[in-house]
Amino acid sequence: MTRQTLSKEEIAGRLRRIESLPTLPPIVSRLNQMVTDEDVTAVKLGQVIEKDQVLTSKLLKMVNSSFFGFPQRISTVSNAIVLLGFNVIKTLIVTSSIFEVMQSSDVGLFEHSLGCATAAGILARKCGIKNPEEISTAGLIHDLGKIAVRAELPKEYQHIQKLVNEKQIPMREAELEVLGIGHPEIGGYLARQWNLPDRLVIPIETHHEPSKPPGFSSISAVIHFADILIRAVGFGYGGDPWVPALDHQAWVRIKFGKTATRQILEELDQKLAELGNLTMEIHVD
Ligand SMILES: [Fe+2]
Ligand SMILES: [Fe+2]
């Protein structure tokens, strides 16, 4: 197979099925409409979501997982909206079916994503970034493009994996060779189609090159570094065994001293141990 066997339009066409996943339910457009209404409350939004019991139980499991790190159990959706913000809840609803696919088909990537979400949350708090839960969510879905390629372009995905193993190259390099486009761009494209906010979309699009356009921010730097950190500590499997190169500008933006680094690693270690339990719990279900 040579480079650019599929045009960008063809790839976009194949991804359209993912854009309209069966569980991207009417509930999402209903919720989107509701949030434009200034009088809408978290309780009203929560009531709409809670009509769907399966979705509610999935959501509550996610919001109570250790990567968000709330000390007390969140027992209602409206409470989750108040604590985490609507953007986070909406992202979890939109991506919940993708995570189901990932849990059963690619445990390594699932753990890598949970781990990156955990690291991103810890780093965001250390950097004093507003709404760290949103940053955790960006970490959770940063490799969304990989799941999309695996699900909708299986032949190409196999070829990518073969190249990774044979040429010993990072997954993104193999994606560029086979598809002419990498998972960050594909993930970003999907996230835009789902109307997720730029605070989440841009870090997905640029997590391997955070200082490049469309916009460099501390959030992009955090997701980039969280991805590297979680690979470096060996938690989960992101599709190839290499730790991505660190972007110098991103490092300058969030740079930590020795003491802070030690604290971050200790906290990460503890949270990853708790995460192990969540992963098990989800698998048993
Ligand atoms: Fe990635
Ligand atoms: Fe990753």
Side-chain angles (χ1 to χ4, degrees), residues 109 112 116 142-143 146 183 207-208 227 230-231 238:
L109 187 59
H112 170 71
C116 183
H142 77 285
D143 275 338
K146 288 182 185 169
H183 68 272
H207 68 269
H208 288 290
D227 186 32
I230 205 64
R231 278 174 175 261

Side-chain angles (χ1 to χ4, degrees), residues 64-92:
N64 282 301
S65 63
S66 59
F67 60 81
F68 284 129
F70 285 106
Q72 269 155 359
R73 209 186 136 68
I74 303 168
S75 55
T76 66
V77 176
S78 49
N79 219 338
I81 295 170
V82 172
L83 288 167
L84 299 165
F86 180 69
N87 277 339
V88 169
I89 299 303
K90 184 178 138 188
T91 305
L92 294 178

Side-chain angles (χ1 to χ4, degrees), residues 35-202:
V35 281
T36 58
D37 173 1
E38 282 181 13
D39 294 332
V40 77
T41 60
V43 173
K44 277 189 200 161
L45 287 168
Q47 280 167 351
V48 171
I49 297 169
E50 276 166 1
K51 283 189 184 140
D52 185 333
Q53 286 180 7
V54 177
L55 183 61
T56 299
S57 84
K58 275 190 233 164
L59 259 182
L60 290 176
K61 200 172 268 180
M62 292 301 273
V63 300
N64 282 301
S65 63
S66 59
F67 60 81
F68 284 129
F70 285 106
Q72 269 155 359
R73 209 186 136 68
I74 303 168
S75 55
T76 66
V77 176
S78 49
N79 219 338
I81 295 170
V82 172
L83 288 167
L84 299 165
F86 180 69
N87 277 339
V88 169
I89 299 303
K90 184 178 138 188
T91 305
L92 294 178
I93 292 175
V94 168
T95 52
S96 66
S97 56
I98 293 195
F99 276 91
E100 264 170 14
V101 172
M102 192 168 31
Q103 277 173 60
S104 53
S105 66
D106 197 337
V107 179
L109 187 59
F110 180 62
E111 287 177 346
H112 170 71
S113 305
L114 289 175
C116 183
T118 308
I122 295 169
L123 294 170
R125 282 185 183 89
K126 270 270 178 259
C127 296
I129 299 176
K130 231 177 83 196
N131 202 349
E133 293 78 24
E134 221 169 67
I135 319 307
S136 287
T137 312
L140 190 65
I141 60 173
H142 77 285
D143 275 338
L144 181 66
K146 288 182 185 169
I147 312 156
V149 173
R150 187 183 179 127
E152 290 306 323
L153 302 161
K155 263 208 328 237
E156 287 77 6
Y157 184 80
Q158 267 183 8
H159 191 79
I160 289 164
Q161 294 243 291
K162 206 167 153 236
L163 281 185
V164 166
N165 296 328
E166 280 176 6
K167 291 191 170 178
Q168 303 272 296
I169 51 174
M171 200 158 174
R172 182 158 173 261
E173 224 175 289
E175 289 163 349
L176 291 174
E177 208 168 304
V178 174
L179 300 170
I181 187 171
H183 68 272
E185 294 83 2
I186 292 176
Y189 167 82
L190 286 170
R192 276 190 203 287
Q193 296 303 310
W194 293 330
N195 289 320
L196 300 183
D198 275 356
R199 270 167 73 86
L200 293 174
V201 176
I202 294 175

